[in-house]
Amino acid sequence: MTTQRLVMRVSSEIPTRAQLPFRWVQHPQHFKSKGLIIVELKVVNVTVPRQSGENSGPDVTHLAIKVGARKLKVLICQVHQAGRNSSRKAISLANDKSYVLYDSRASAYEKKNLPEDALRDAKKTIDIAPKQWHGYFRSARLFAALGQTNAALEMCSLALARLSGGPKHEAHRRELTSLCRHLEAPTKCPVSGTMPVELLLMIFQLSRSPIVISHVCHQWREIALSQPTLWRSLVLAAPAKKALRKVQEWYKRSCGQIEELVIRKSLATTIFPSSFDHRNPDDCAKYAELLARLRQLDLKQLKECHLEEVNAESFFSALSDNTRHDHQYSETLSISYMDPRPEYAELLWESLRAFSIINGGCDWARLSTSMCRLTSFEYKMERFISVFGNFHEFLQANPSLEKLVVEAGFIYPHQIPEAPASLTLAHLRHLELIGDTPFRIKRGNFSLPSLQILRMIKLRNGEVTLAELVEDEETSFAELVEFTARGCFLESQTLTSVLFQAPKLEILNCTGSAVNVLAESLTKPCMALLKDPASEDPTLVPTKLPILCPALSVLDLSQSDVKTDPIMRMVKERIALTGSQDGGRYQLPGENGDRGVSCIWSLNVDGCSRIEAEMLPRFRENVPIQIKEIAPLHVPRFTAGNYGSVFLTGALCATIIVNRRLTTYPSDK
């Protein structure tokens, strides 16, 4: 065995240079047995005897031992695995109570780029000596290296609180302060420091995503968590345990006031009862617990409820526990099913204003008595037979309707009910009919004097329905701004009759065989017969317009047989009227000021095989491109006779589809 050459600084009782056996270094109790007090011990060169079949011993580069009356500290730094064994021996000799040992080994791990191991020892340092700064100081650097910013900032604050104010730890304080600034820099929003909190709250409320907002920066999170109004929307989905915890958390953040409740299908099909109830006892218990936690909320504040695969009346009856009537405070209710459900409506919904139901059977006679104040109603029966008995009665019970959307999957012709009496919906502005009409619309039994949006999509009796509306004396298209007729057969005369009565039309979306006549009529001036909205006299007033539908700006004739010539003439004529000083001015009945003709800002003739490919550059030259809402691009299936199509929409460029290739041309506008 070779001895080690050691350089020591010790008390005056022993020489400053000595030769000590290596076992004394490994076993500090030898110093205490000799009555020596060693202040610092540095190992300059250490070698240990090599045993058979063993590599060279631990490469110890720094080892210091302090033995005193109260404490024993051994500081070890190793670089090889054999050195780890020595550190474990030293830690065991200290009875696992020396925080310096763990902090030193954490330093070694940190230098060897082993942050997980170093963090484990740093946490052990904190456990042993929670009042010392060492463990917090090293944990701050390790958390920062691991990308855990919040934990690193917390460790920085704890370490700074434990550092003394003297010059001894000035370097440590500067390092921690610099680390805090470095960590906080990416989490600070550039507008947080200058924007008032009130304005930030308005932005947060418009975003309707408080969870996302709370992850932007510390300041935004503090503001979001301190404002109960941001947590008024509760969305529940599977798993059930997570949904239960979320109800409890939202109860705290919103102060018990939820305005919107959403139950997803994943949760409803798991724990909610159904007509064939096959739930296990555990799911039944979770459903009961969910109801109990929801009852803790102030359900009088619940204004919106969106349910998937949930029977609303059964749910609210169970939620009210037959003692309250919380459903009466709801203003918006939407229900959706994957498969059709039986007839529906028992409770009285006095405050309901918007009702939407998908694939749910309705008892229209009962709905007529339970829902009488609706302003919006949407009914969609997808791929299933629809029944609309007493639907006309339901509309009569809701004269304040402003929006009506009906999608009927299929109705037997003999089952389409006749309207028994006249009906005028004076406030209806949005009408959308898909598939079949809920009853036979005839002049006088369905009058719409305030119509602004009319959409007919795949309507089987579209021609008859539109003709009856045109002939109805009380129905008016004077305020119509959007007209959509896709997938339904319409005569050109009926279409032009609508356009002659719609001087404010801005959006036209149409397909069918009559599109060429329609496009040709949009190139010519006209004498329209319009009603004066300010006068009670129903007499039509002849009004000269410089061009049919002068306010038209969005035209969609995609997937039709429209030709190039009428489209080009319409575009050029409107550009000319827009640039003229007086040729494009007109005045509508009841208005004092003049109006100007609008040019076409968005043109969609995608999938039109009769559009000539060589005319595409002219379209790009004459159709202005502005920043507006970008419509989705539909790439058609090309045939041998389809040479190309053009898709022009509100974007920064004109997108051309030619010979199955997508090319983007920058706009000069």
PDB file of all heavy atoms in Angstrom, residues 126-138:
ATOM      1  N   ILE A 126     -32.397  20.035   1.225  1.00  0.00           N
ATOM      2  CA  ILE A 126     -33.468  20.872   1.788  1.00  0.00           C
ATOM      3  C   ILE A 126     -34.179  20.134   2.916  1.00  0.00           C
ATOM      4  O   ILE A 126     -34.532  20.723   3.943  1.00  0.00           O
ATOM      5  CB  ILE A 126     -34.441  21.285   0.677  1.00  0.00           C
ATOM      6  CG1 ILE A 126     -33.737  22.169  -0.353  1.00  0.00           C
ATOM      7  CG2 ILE A 126     -35.650  22.016   1.257  1.00  0.00           C
ATOM      8  CD1 ILE A 126     -34.588  22.518  -1.542  1.00  0.00           C
ATOM      9  N   ASP A 127     -34.384  18.840   2.741  1.00  0.00           N
ATOM     10  CA  ASP A 127     -35.061  18.076   3.794  1.00  0.00           C
ATOM     11  C   ASP A 127     -34.247  18.056   5.086  1.00  0.00           C
ATOM     12  O   ASP A 127     -34.805  18.157   6.184  1.00  0.00           O
ATOM     13  CB  ASP A 127     -35.309  16.643   3.310  1.00  0.00           C
ATOM     14  CG  ASP A 127     -36.299  16.588   2.169  1.00  0.00           C
ATOM     15  OD1 ASP A 127     -37.071  17.555   2.033  1.00  0.00           O
ATOM     16  OD2 ASP A 127     -36.286  15.599   1.416  1.00  0.00           O
ATOM     17  N   ILE A 128     -32.916  17.935   4.953  1.00  0.00           N
ATOM     18  CA  ILE A 128     -32.071  17.866   6.142  1.00  0.00           C
ATOM     19  C   ILE A 128     -31.921  19.237   6.787  1.00  0.00           C
ATOM     20  O   ILE A 128     -31.991  19.371   8.018  1.00  0.00           O
ATOM     21  CB  ILE A 128     -30.693  17.277   5.773  1.00  0.00           C
ATOM     22  CG1 ILE A 128     -30.857  15.822   5.301  1.00  0.00           C
ATOM     23  CG2 ILE A 128     -29.739  17.341   6.966  1.00  0.00           C
ATOM     24  CD1 ILE A 128     -29.583  15.192   4.798  1.00  0.00           C
ATOM     25  N   ALA A 129     -31.717  20.273   5.958  1.00  0.00           N
ATOM     26  CA  ALA A 129     -31.475  21.627   6.493  1.00  0.00           C
ATOM     27  C   ALA A 129     -32.384  22.617   5.789  1.00  0.00           C
ATOM     28  O   ALA A 129     -31.961  23.352   4.890  1.00  0.00           O
ATOM     29  CB  ALA A 129     -30.011  22.017   6.315  1.00  0.00           C
ATOM     30  N   PRO A 130     -33.671  22.667   6.129  1.00  0.00           N
ATOM     31  CA  PRO A 130     -34.599  23.571   5.423  1.00  0.00           C
ATOM     32  C   PRO A 130     -34.318  25.044   5.676  1.00  0.00           C
ATOM     33  O   PRO A 130     -34.792  25.882   4.915  1.00  0.00           O
ATOM     34  CB  PRO A 130     -35.972  23.158   5.977  1.00  0.00           C
ATOM     35  CG  PRO A 130     -35.681  22.534   7.298  1.00  0.00           C
ATOM     36  CD  PRO A 130     -34.349  21.861   7.165  1.00  0.00           C
ATOM     37  N   LYS A 131     -33.547  25.366   6.705  1.00  0.00           N
ATOM     38  CA  LYS A 131     -33.258  26.771   7.000  1.00  0.00           C
ATOM     39  C   LYS A 131     -31.977  27.253   6.338  1.00  0.00           C
ATOM     40  O   LYS A 131     -31.662  28.439   6.421  1.00  0.00           O
ATOM     41  CB  LYS A 131     -33.163  26.972   8.514  1.00  0.00           C
ATOM     42  CG  LYS A 131     -34.475  26.718   9.240  1.00  0.00           C
ATOM     43  CD  LYS A 131     -34.350  27.013  10.718  1.00  0.00           C
ATOM     44  CE  LYS A 131     -35.674  26.782  11.443  1.00  0.00           C
ATOM     45  NZ  LYS A 131     -35.562  27.077  12.896  1.00  0.00           N
ATOM     46  N   GLN A 132     -31.250  26.360   5.698  1.00  0.00           N
ATOM     47  CA  GLN A 132     -30.030  26.743   4.994  1.00  0.00           C
ATOM     48  C   GLN A 132     -30.360  27.086   3.540  1.00  0.00           C
ATOM     49  O   GLN A 132     -31.315  26.571   2.958  1.00  0.00           O
ATOM     50  CB  GLN A 132     -29.009  25.596   5.043  1.00  0.00           C
ATOM     51  CG  GLN A 132     -28.574  25.217   6.450  1.00  0.00           C
ATOM     52  CD  GLN A 132     -27.791  26.328   7.125  1.00  0.00           C
ATOM     53  OE1 GLN A 132     -27.124  27.120   6.458  1.00  0.00           O
ATOM     54  NE2 GLN A 132     -27.869  26.400   8.450  1.00  0.00           N
ATOM     55  N   TRP A 133     -29.535  27.916   2.941  1.00  0.00           N
ATOM     56  CA  TRP A 133     -29.793  28.387   1.579  1.00  0.00           C
ATOM     57  C   TRP A 133     -29.233  27.456   0.518  1.00  0.00           C
ATOM     58  O   TRP A 133     -29.603  27.547  -0.661  1.00  0.00           O
ATOM     59  CB  TRP A 133     -29.178  29.769   1.381  1.00  0.00           C
ATOM     60  CG  TRP A 133     -27.688  29.820   1.639  1.00  0.00           C
ATOM     61  CD1 TRP A 133     -27.074  30.087   2.810  1.00  0.00           C
ATOM     62  CD2 TRP A 133     -26.646  29.568   0.687  1.00  0.00           C
ATOM     63  NE1 TRP A 133     -25.712  30.033   2.685  1.00  0.00           N
ATOM     64  CE2 TRP A 133     -25.407  29.721   1.368  1.00  0.00           C
ATOM     65  CE3 TRP A 133     -26.621  29.238  -0.661  1.00  0.00           C
ATOM     66  CZ2 TRP A 133     -24.183  29.546   0.750  1.00  0.00           C
ATOM     67  CZ3 TRP A 133     -25.393  29.070  -1.298  1.00  0.00           C
ATOM     68  CH2 TRP A 133     -24.186  29.224  -0.595  1.00  0.00           C
ATOM     69  N   HIS A 134     -28.359  26.535   0.878  1.00  0.00           N
ATOM     70  CA  HIS A 134     -27.625  25.764  -0.108  1.00  0.00           C
ATOM     71  C   HIS A 134     -28.526  24.941  -1.034  1.00  0.00           C
ATOM     72  O   HIS A 134     -28.375  24.955  -2.261  1.00  0.00           O
ATOM     73  CB  HIS A 134     -26.625  24.841   0.609  1.00  0.00           C
ATOM     74  CG  HIS A 134     -25.695  25.549   1.534  1.00  0.00           C
ATOM     75  ND1 HIS A 134     -26.090  26.010   2.781  1.00  0.00           N
ATOM     76  CD2 HIS A 134     -24.387  25.890   1.407  1.00  0.00           C
ATOM     77  CE1 HIS A 134     -25.069  26.595   3.384  1.00  0.00           C
ATOM     78  NE2 HIS A 134     -24.010  26.533   2.573  1.00  0.00           N
ATOM     79  N   GLY A 135     -29.448  24.194  -0.425  1.00  0.00           N
ATOM     80  CA  GLY A 135     -30.311  23.345  -1.243  1.00  0.00           C
ATOM     81  C   GLY A 135     -31.200  24.136  -2.178  1.00  0.00           C
ATOM     82  O   GLY A 135     -31.412  23.753  -3.340  1.00  0.00           O
ATOM     83  N   TYR A 136     -31.744  25.264  -1.725  1.00  0.00           N
ATOM     84  CA  TYR A 136     -32.598  26.099  -2.569  1.00  0.00           C
ATOM     85  C   TYR A 136     -31.798  26.726  -3.700  1.00  0.00           C
ATOM     86  O   TYR A 136     -32.274  26.841  -4.837  1.00  0.00           O
ATOM     87  CB  TYR A 136     -33.258  27.186  -1.726  1.00  0.00           C
ATOM     88  CG  TYR A 136     -34.050  26.653  -0.560  1.00  0.00           C
ATOM     89  CD1 TYR A 136     -33.552  26.690   0.734  1.00  0.00           C
ATOM     90  CD2 TYR A 136     -35.304  26.089  -0.762  1.00  0.00           C
ATOM     91  CE1 TYR A 136     -34.274  26.199   1.802  1.00  0.00           C
ATOM     92  CE2 TYR A 136     -36.054  25.592   0.298  1.00  0.00           C
ATOM     93  CZ  TYR A 136     -35.516  25.652   1.579  1.00  0.00           C
ATOM     94  OH  TYR A 136     -36.242  25.159   2.633  1.00  0.00           O
ATOM     95  N   PHE A 137     -30.583  27.153  -3.383  1.00  0.00           N
ATOM     96  CA  PHE A 137     -29.732  27.791  -4.379  1.00  0.00           C
ATOM     97  C   PHE A 137     -29.440  26.823  -5.530  1.00  0.00           C
ATOM     98  O   PHE A 137     -29.575  27.170  -6.708  1.00  0.00           O
ATOM     99  CB  PHE A 137     -28.427  28.246  -3.703  1.00  0.00           C
ATOM    100  CG  PHE A 137     -27.449  28.885  -4.641  1.00  0.00           C
ATOM    101  CD1 PHE A 137     -27.591  30.206  -5.019  1.00  0.00           C
ATOM    102  CD2 PHE A 137     -26.377  28.166  -5.150  1.00  0.00           C
ATOM    103  CE1 PHE A 137     -26.690  30.797  -5.885  1.00  0.00           C
ATOM    104  CE2 PHE A 137     -25.474  28.740  -6.012  1.00  0.00           C
ATOM    105  CZ  PHE A 137     -25.623  30.064  -6.379  1.00  0.00           C
ATOM    106  N   ARG A 138     -29.047  25.595  -5.172  1.00  0.00           N
ATOM    107  CA  ARG A 138     -28.727  24.640  -6.232  1.00  0.00           C
ATOM    108  C   ARG A 138     -29.987  24.168  -6.958  1.00  0.00           C
ATOM    109  O   ARG A 138     -29.980  23.965  -8.180  1.00  0.00           O
ATOM    110  CB  ARG A 138     -27.979  23.445  -5.646  1.00  0.00           C
ATOM    111  CG  ARG A 138     -27.279  22.598  -6.704  1.00  0.00           C
ATOM    112  CD  ARG A 138     -26.351  21.595  -6.081  1.00  0.00           C
ATOM    113  NE  ARG A 138     -25.401  22.206  -5.172  1.00  0.00           N
ATOM    114  CZ  ARG A 138     -24.306  22.858  -5.562  1.00  0.00           C
ATOM    115  NH1 ARG A 138     -24.046  22.995  -6.854  1.00  0.00           N
ATOM    116  NH2 ARG A 138     -23.479  23.370  -4.668  1.00  0.00           N
TER     117      ARG A 138
END
